[in-house]
Amino acid sequence: MQNVIRMLLFVVFFGIGAAALGGAVLYNDLVGYYQNSQLLKRAQESLDRLGALNADYEALLDQLEKDPNLIKRLGPATLGTEHEDANAVYPKVTPEQLAAARKALSEDLDQQAAEPVIPEWLSRCSEPRWRLVLFCCGAALILLSFVCFSPAKLKDKEEK
């Protein structure tokens, strides 16, 4: 039972010490990893948006092939020219409405840009003195785990 408790304490102290030591040594690599993963996430979101636009354009092209009169209806709305049909009423879009629509669409992009790239626990280690403290504490925990929680010597067992 005593050996199980020693082994458990050894694993806990050694694991925490190794994590602290590794974090202090690999700080720059961890920062690069989180920055690259954020860039990859943004690139993937951009690709997803482009894929959705491509699907929308494919659907529009299919509709244009099926209904040639669609060009007559979409052309004036897209180009901003006057409509040919005198009996139809087309709403006019004001610049204020367009600005509000642009603002609503750009809010998502601004929100994504404001997300922190580096986690809070890693940003606290940005100063070299805190990394040195983390390194020393990790090394001390590893040494403590080897000194205090190593298996009992065979001589002690034989004498008992």
Side-chain angles (χ1 to χ4, degrees):
M1 181 67 176
Q2 189 178 21
N3 283 336
V4 173
I5 293 173
R6 279 182 178 224
M7 183 185 68
L8 183 63
L9 287 174
F10 174 81
V11 168
V12 168
F13 276 66
F14 184 81
I16 293 171
L21 196 63
V25 171
L26 299 174
Y27 172 77
N28 292 330
D29 293 332
L30 288 171
V31 168
Y33 167 76
Y34 281 109
Q35 288 175 344
N36 289 339
S37 65
Q38 184 71 16
L39 289 174
L40 180 65
K41 180 181 172 186
R42 286 185 186 162
Q44 187 63 39
E45 290 171 355
S46 177
L47 283 174
D48 292 342
R49 266 188 268 129
L50 288 174
L53 284 175
N54 282 340
D56 290 345
Y57 285 130
E58 285 294 323
L60 183 61
L61 289 174
D62 289 341
Q63 288 178 355
L64 286 175
E65 287 176 1
K66 293 177 185 173
D67 185 15
N69 292 329
L70 189 63
I71 293 176
K72 292 179 183 176
R73 292 182 298 206
L74 286 179
T78 305
L79 300 175
T81 59
E82 291 297 320
H83 300 284
E84 296 175 5
D85 190 7
N87 295 330
V89 178
Y90 296 100
K92 299 281 183 182
V93 179
T94 63
E96 292 84 19
Q97 291 172 334
L98 288 175
R102 283 189 193 107
K103 182 180 178 185
L105 291 174
S106 68
E107 282 179 358
D108 290 338
L109 297 175
D110 293 340
Q111 213 172 33
Q112 290 173 358
E115 291 178 6
V117 176
I118 300 171
E120 184 65 30
W121 64 269
L122 189 59
S123 64
R124 282 184 248 146
C125 299
S126 63
E127 294 182 27
R129 66 184 176 123
W130 290 118
R131 278 195 308 241
L132 180 64
V133 168
L134 191 62
F135 181 85
C136 292
C137 290
L141 280 173
I142 290 174
L143 287 174
L144 181 73
S145 65
F146 276 117
V147 170
C148 295
F149 303 115
S150 62
K153 295 181 181 179
L154 294 175
K155 291 180 184 176
D156 293 339
K157 287 185 180 179
E158 291 174 0
E159 290 176 1
K160 291 182 181 179

